């Protein structure tokens, strides 16, 4: 009650901050976990608080350097990595996870930690009704999902004289922009977007005299009835043009289109098809009050032994640090169960 958790993030900020520009700058950060600042619990204002009070770390080599470092550590500890091996099914026998099916072949395991998006995992990887429990197809379809992202990864043959590694462009009607994402499910006519220029901090990320630029515009997730934005080739080109026009007119990157030498675009379809994000929702389940904390899918399966979950749709939530914490919690549950089993086995002997 002291945190006013039942209130929304924007109202919480508005109680203390009177300039609407500052309110938007602070409340916008709830979109980093896929929820509207007008809907997200005020608890999530902890995000800008941590950033402003404690600061954040920048990793040399960019975010992917973290994945590479975890891979190295995993292999140094004796782990064996099998990349590009899609899991077809989690095998459950007599109420216990005992392996996965890959390429039509059963791979046995003492325990299974699943980091696929939880709704996708329940619908596509788990066919045991007891293991799924309350997470039936109907339940999953009826849950609330985060927004998605339209992302431009740009390699530029020019280095712009800018100082800001991070910058945000706000729509002139921010509330209308948010309604486009969460109520009307359409590509915003006037999108807000976030620009990130990591090579300003780490020159090794681009050749000399060049620069990398990442532009992210929040967009609606995919809709089952097809009422949301279309993501055909012509549509994507039009959305790209709309965003880049605003980048050129309202940021220091005035002629960015003339200097793009490599480019990759991600849409909700890419998040759905490449990463199995349910509905293409980049941040997984929307962290509404009733889909947060205890009410989020747990890291340990309720109806199956030796099955654990981590990722943005599980407890505690989305965002890179929080997803890493989700993995840590899943491992703690596994290790606790492992110790208990070993203790009981020893006592039985």
């Amino acid at each position: 009650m002291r945190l006013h958790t039942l209130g929304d993030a924007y109202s919480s900020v508005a109680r203390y901050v009177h300039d609407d520009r500052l309110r938007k700058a602070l409340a916008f950060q709830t979109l980093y976990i896929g929820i509207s600042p007008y809907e997200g619990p005020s608890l999530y204002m902890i995000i800008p608080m941590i950033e402003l009070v404690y600061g954040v770390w920048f990793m040399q080599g960019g975010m992917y350097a973290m994945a590479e470092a975890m891979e190295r550590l995993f292999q140094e500890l004796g782990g064996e990595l099998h990349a590009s091996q899609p899991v077809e099914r989690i095998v459950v026998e007599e109420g216990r996870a005992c392996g996965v099916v890959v390429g039509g072949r059963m791979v046995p395991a003492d325990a299974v930690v699943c980091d696929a998006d939880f709704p996708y995992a329940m619908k596509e990887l788990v066919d045991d009704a007891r293991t799924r429990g309350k997470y039936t197809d109907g339940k999953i379809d009826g849950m609330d999902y985060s927004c998605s992202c339209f992302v431009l990864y740009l390699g530029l043959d020019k280095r712009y004289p800018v100082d800001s590694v991070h910058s945000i462009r706000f729509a002139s009607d921010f509330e209308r922009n948010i309604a486009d994402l969460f109520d009307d499910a359409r590509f915003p006519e006037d999108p807000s977007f976030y620009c990130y220029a990591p090579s300003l901090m780490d020159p090794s990320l681009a050749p000399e005299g060049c620069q990398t630029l990442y532009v992210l515009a929040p967009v609606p997730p995919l809709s089952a009835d097809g009422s949301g934005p279309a993501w055909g080739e012509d549509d994507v080109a039009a959305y790209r043009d709309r965003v880049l026009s605003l980048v050129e007119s309202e940021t220091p990157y005035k002629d960015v289109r003339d200097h793009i030498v490599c480019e990759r675009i991600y849409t909700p379809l890419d998040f759905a098809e490449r990463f199995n994000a349910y509905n293409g929702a980049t941040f997984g389940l929307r962290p509404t009050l009733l889909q947060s904390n205890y009410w989020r899918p747990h890291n340990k399966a309720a109806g199956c032994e030796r099955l654990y979950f981590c990722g943005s749709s599980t407890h505690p939530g989305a965002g890179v640090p929080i997803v890493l914490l989700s993995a840590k919690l899943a491992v703690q549950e596994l290790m606790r169960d492992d110790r208990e089993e070993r203790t009981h086995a020893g006592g039985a002997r």
Side-chain angles (χ1 to χ4, degrees):
M1 294 299 294
R2 289 177 62 191
L3 291 173
H4 303 284
T5 303
L6 296 179
D8 65 86
Y10 188 86
S11 297
S12 176
V13 171
R15 291 171 58 217
Y16 303 100
V17 178
H18 300 295
D19 189 300
D20 193 53
R21 295 168 298 177
L22 288 175
R23 289 176 178 177
K24 291 175 183 175
L26 292 167
F28 184 86
Q29 297 190 50
T30 63
L31 288 169
Y32 295 170
I33 54 174
I35 192 169
S36 161
Y38 303 108
E39 178 191 16
S42 62
L43 177 68
Y44 291 119
M45 291 315 298
I46 195 173
I47 299 172
M49 183 277 287
I50 289 173
E51 180 178 311
L52 292 169
V53 174
Y54 298 105
V56 294
W57 291 96
F58 177 85
M59 287 175 283
Q60 292 295 318
M63 277 297 212
Y64 196 67
M66 179 184 64
E68 293 175 323
M70 293 179 73
E71 176 188 357
R72 287 196 303 272
L73 178 60
F74 176 70
Q75 293 175 329
E76 288 170 5
L77 293 172
E80 187 177 336
L81 182 67
H82 298 271
S84 300
Q85 299 289 312
V87 172
E88 298 160 18
R89 183 167 62 90
I90 296 172
V91 181
V92 176
E93 294 179 357
E94 299 180 354
R96 184 184 180 99
C98 57
V100 295
V101 174
V102 179
R105 180 173 64 91
M106 158 69 167
V107 180
D110 294 325
V112 175
V113 179
C114 176
D115 70 346
D117 191 34
F118 183 86
Y120 167 85
M122 283 289 109
K123 289 191 77 169
E124 304 297 334
L125 303 182
V126 177
D127 56 15
D128 180 76
R130 179 182 168 188
T131 301
R132 295 188 66 178
K134 66 180 180 180
Y135 293 107
T136 62
D137 286 1
K139 166 74 172 176
I140 290 169
D141 291 341
M143 298 177 85
D144 294 321
Y145 290 88
S146 72
C147 64
S148 189
C149 297
F150 179 69
V151 187
L152 304 175
Y153 286 95
L154 307 176
L156 310 176
D157 64 3
K158 175 180 178 179
R159 194 171 184 87
Y160 286 83
V162 295
D163 298 322
S164 299
V165 175
H166 308 276
S167 56
I168 300 171
R169 183 266 176 186
F170 289 102
S172 56
D173 186 344
F174 186 56
E175 289 191 54
R176 175 69 264 166
N177 179 198
I178 297 299
D180 287 339
L181 306 181
F182 295 98
D183 299 329
D184 300 331
R186 64 181 183 180
F187 194 98
E189 286 296 325
D190 183 22
S192 299
F193 57 81
Y194 161 66
C195 290
Y196 176 45
S199 55
L200 297 181
M201 289 193 70
D202 183 358
S204 70
L205 296 176
E208 187 174 354
C210 299
Q211 183 179 330
T212 54
L213 182 66
Y214 161 108
V215 184
L216 182 155
V219 297
L222 302 174
S223 54
D225 60 4
S227 60
W231 296 105
E233 187 175 327
D234 291 342
D235 304 294
V236 171
Y239 300 146
R240 171 189 181 274
D241 187 62
R242 188 181 306 174
V243 171
L244 288 180
S245 292
L246 288 168
V247 169
E248 291 185 328
S249 63
E250 298 191 27
T251 80
Y253 300 96
K254 300 300 182 185
D255 56 353
V256 69
R257 275 182 280 204
D258 296 333
H259 296 280
I260 297 173
V261 292
C262 61
E263 176 177 0
R264 181 169 293 178
I265 299 176
Y266 281 84
T267 74
L269 279 178
D270 294 297
F271 287 107
E273 294 172 358
R274 294 195 58 181
F275 307 112
N276 294 324
Y278 196 73
N279 289 345
T282 306
F283 308 96
L285 291 172
R286 193 187 310 178
T288 60
L289 189 61
L290 295 180
Q291 289 186 170
S292 294
N293 299 313
Y294 180 82
W295 293 281
R296 210 163 180 81
H298 293 190
N299 303 106
K300 179 179 177 179
C304 179
E305 294 298 320
R306 291 297 193 162
L307 177 58
Y308 309 88
F309 296 97
C310 59
S312 58
S313 286
T314 60
H315 177 73
V320 173
I322 307 304
V323 167
L324 288 173
L325 181 58
S326 171
K328 183 177 181 179
L329 293 173
V331 169
Q332 288 175 346
E333 293 283 0
L334 188 160
M335 293 176 68
R336 183 183 298 115
D337 290 346
D338 193 59
R339 285 194 299 269
E340 291 179 0
E341 281 201 11
R342 292 175 184 274
T343 299
H344 292 156
R349 288 196 298 270

